[in-house]
Amino acid sequence: MAIDVDSLVAGARKGEARAVARLISLVEDDSRKNDTALREVSAALAPHTGHAHVVGITGSPGVGKSTSTSALVTALRAQDQRVGVLAVDPSSPFSGGALLGDRIRMQDHTTDSGVYIRSMASRGHLGGLAGAAPQALRVLDAAGCDVILVETVGVGQSEVEVAGLADTTLVLVAPGMGDGIQAAKAGILEIGDVFVVNKADRDGAQSTRRELRTMISMGERSEAAWTPPIVMTVASSGEGVEDVVAAVQQHREHLETSGELRRRRLARASREIEALALDALQRRMGDVRGDARLETLADDVLSGRSDPFTAADTLIDSL
């Protein structure tokens, strides 16, 4: 069945939820048969992107990422901003689909036409994100979202990948979870643009804040560099959430005035191009397996007539 990509993009531009859902489903389907459609969707979306501010929300499991995301949506909608939410969940071992389903956890926003929430399965992709996340972000951007919140899956120390996808990265910690030690081990201090101590009504919140402040102060920064603020919140009641929104907006202004926003987005585009090119090469390498060319080169290496590096260069030249 032919897919009318132009009509879907036009519908998404008008804010039609069904068109947005269809486009994200297309880019999320990584089967070979939809590769042509994926390319068509990407090309059609390209002229309509670059407006949305992408905010990554990461942290260890149990810190309240989903509750904080829901509270941020409420605060952003109070400012009349259109919000997209990309919530990455663990994959079901049976269907491969999203296991937790953030649509249920964020049900207060499901009837709001100014909010689009999509759960995506990580499908084994490391770093707390789904492999199709960059293209899904492009869909939400083209659909007119002012802010896109990307909530990672909660995988612990490997969650730093979100920093390469977001303009602003929020790192959530909570008292009594040993987050200070985890931050030092995982390099979280290097990716956090805003630190949020959630569940600040619990014992140890101020101690967690002091520990974070000490570690941030130990980092080497130029005078013009952004110093990550620490915001105290109780996301379940909405306390401090407006301060988080203000910190995100201040960071956006800093990125724009310093030129860092363009640098980050250029780096993001470069990584995406590189990943697509490597994927294409891997597919072509798969076609070579069992080919006489590869067997001949392997025989040359085995007999000493060539070395692995020379053989690899020869194979690449033949692709």
Side-chain angles (χ1 to χ4, degrees):
M1 180 177 177
I3 301 169
D4 190 346
V5 171
D6 290 337
S7 294
L8 287 175
V9 171
R13 295 283 294 157
K14 295 176 184 176
E16 296 176 6
R18 182 171 294 182
V20 174
R22 182 67 177 130
L23 286 170
I24 293 182
S25 293
L26 281 174
V27 302
E28 195 174 10
D29 185 354
D30 58 0
S31 64
R32 295 290 189 270
K33 64 181 180 180
N34 276 332
D35 185 64
T36 301
L38 177 58
R39 289 172 179 270
E40 190 177 350
V41 169
S42 184
L45 292 173
H48 309 296
T49 58
H51 168 70
H53 187 63
V54 181
V55 179
I57 301 172
T58 189
S60 301
V63 297
K65 292 192 294 296
S66 292
T67 304
S68 296
T69 299
S70 182
L72 283 170
V73 171
T74 300
L76 290 166
R77 288 298 291 145
Q79 298 180 358
D80 199 31
Q81 297 197 59
R82 288 180 59 82
V83 184
V85 179
L86 197 61
V88 183
D89 280 335
S91 300
S92 165
F94 303 104
S95 68
L99 191 60
L100 302 180
D102 288 79
R103 291 176 183 272
I104 297 173
R105 287 182 284 166
M106 300 181 193
Q107 59 186 345
D108 292 343
H109 307 293
T110 54
T111 58
D112 187 346
S113 61
V115 180
Y116 185 87
I117 301 170
R118 177 69 175 231
S119 293
M120 296 183 72
S122 58
R123 298 188 181 182
H125 189 84
L126 298 178
L129 297 175
Q135 292 296 338
L137 284 177
R138 200 165 275 120
V139 173
L140 294 175
D141 191 356
C145 291
D146 299 301
V147 179
I148 303 173
L149 305 176
V150 183
E151 179 194 336
T152 65
V153 74
V155 294
Q157 293 186 29
S158 63
E159 264 191 355
V160 296
E161 186 179 324
V162 71
L165 195 66
D167 299 318
T168 299
T169 301
L170 303 184
V171 175
L172 270 62
V173 298
M177 297 187 68
D179 289 289
I181 296 173
Q182 293 302 314
K185 288 170 63 177
I188 290 293
L189 290 177
E190 297 178 7
I191 71 163
D193 298 307
V194 177
F195 289 91
V196 178
V197 180
N198 190 33
K199 305 179 183 181
D201 53 345
R202 291 186 177 182
D203 291 340
Q206 292 301 324
S207 175
T208 300
R209 183 181 188 178
R210 285 193 298 271
E211 189 174 358
L212 277 172
R213 183 182 291 125
T214 298
M215 288 191 290
I216 290 171
S217 67
M218 293 170 63
E220 296 182 4
R221 293 182 178 84
S222 65
E223 292 184 5
W226 171 261
T227 300
I230 302 171
V231 184
M232 310 292 284
T233 66
V234 183
S236 58
S237 66
E239 182 182 339
V241 175
E242 290 184 358
D243 294 334
V244 177
V245 173
V248 169
Q249 291 172 340
Q250 289 169 6
H251 185 247
R252 170 69 184 258
E253 293 170 3
H254 168 79
L255 291 174
E256 290 176 337
T257 56
S258 66
E260 179 68 10
L261 183 62
R262 175 173 169 77
R263 190 199 69 76
R264 288 190 179 195
R265 290 183 173 180
L266 275 174
R268 184 191 312 166
S270 298
R271 282 191 296 268
E272 187 174 2
I273 294 168
E274 181 182 354
L276 289 171
L278 287 172
D279 182 63
L281 284 173
Q282 286 176 337
R283 292 188 189 184
R284 295 175 73 175
M285 282 297 298
D287 295 337
V288 170
R289 287 177 189 144
D291 189 288
R293 290 174 296 174
L294 184 57
E295 187 173 340
T296 300
L297 290 169
D299 185 65
D300 288 342
V301 170
L302 188 61
S303 63
R305 291 189 299 270
S306 182
D307 64 271
F309 291 96
T310 301
D313 289 340
T314 302
L315 181 60
I316 290 172
D317 290 341
S318 71
L319 291 177

